[in-house]
Amino acid sequence: MGAIDFFTSATGPDLTTAFNTARAQDRNDYGSGGYTGTLAEKHSVALIDEPRRSEGDAVARARELLLGDDPRVSDKWGPAGALPIATDDGTDGWLLFGVAPY
């Protein structure tokens, strides 16, 4: 099987809670049998400690990291990456992204 990039925005009181909630939602929406190409395939998250930015700018930065084969996020079996974002409604959150089995 291959791999595909994914990008998911999430909010919550902290990164761990936001990750777990978004992962549970993807498991509900796409299943948990493996190879969904979504956050459902990730078991952990790695914070990319960079300044908070808009969601659009965070997606652009995430794409740069993925295209650059950054080892923190390039392993389809490794952790998801997380960049701090300010969502469209002004809420602080995270862009969860990475490469997932598909």
Side-chain angles (χ1 to χ4, degrees):
M1 295 286 179
I4 191 168
D5 298 345
F6 68 89
F7 305 90
T8 303
S9 60
T11 59
D14 55 63
L15 176 55
T16 300
T17 302
F19 170 76
N20 288 332
T21 300
R23 182 173 180 257
Q25 184 64 52
D26 275 5
R27 289 174 68 86
N28 184 61
D29 291 347
Y30 302 103
S32 58
Y35 301 97
T36 64
T38 70
L39 185 64
E41 306 306 326
K42 297 300 182 174
H43 300 285
S44 62
V45 62
L47 176 63
I48 309 299
D49 194 16
E50 295 189 1
R52 191 168 304 280
R53 60 190 86 200
S54 71
E55 189 171 350
D57 288 347
V59 169
R61 176 64 178 138
R63 287 187 193 283
E64 288 175 3
L65 293 169
L66 292 169
L67 287 172
D69 206 25
D70 188 296
R72 297 173 291 181
V73 295
S74 62
D75 182 355
K76 70 180 177 180
W77 303 113
L83 287 168
I85 62 169
T87 62
D88 291 340
D89 67 1
T91 305
D92 288 344
W94 292 269
L95 176 71
L96 305 172
F97 69 98
V99 180
Y102 181 74

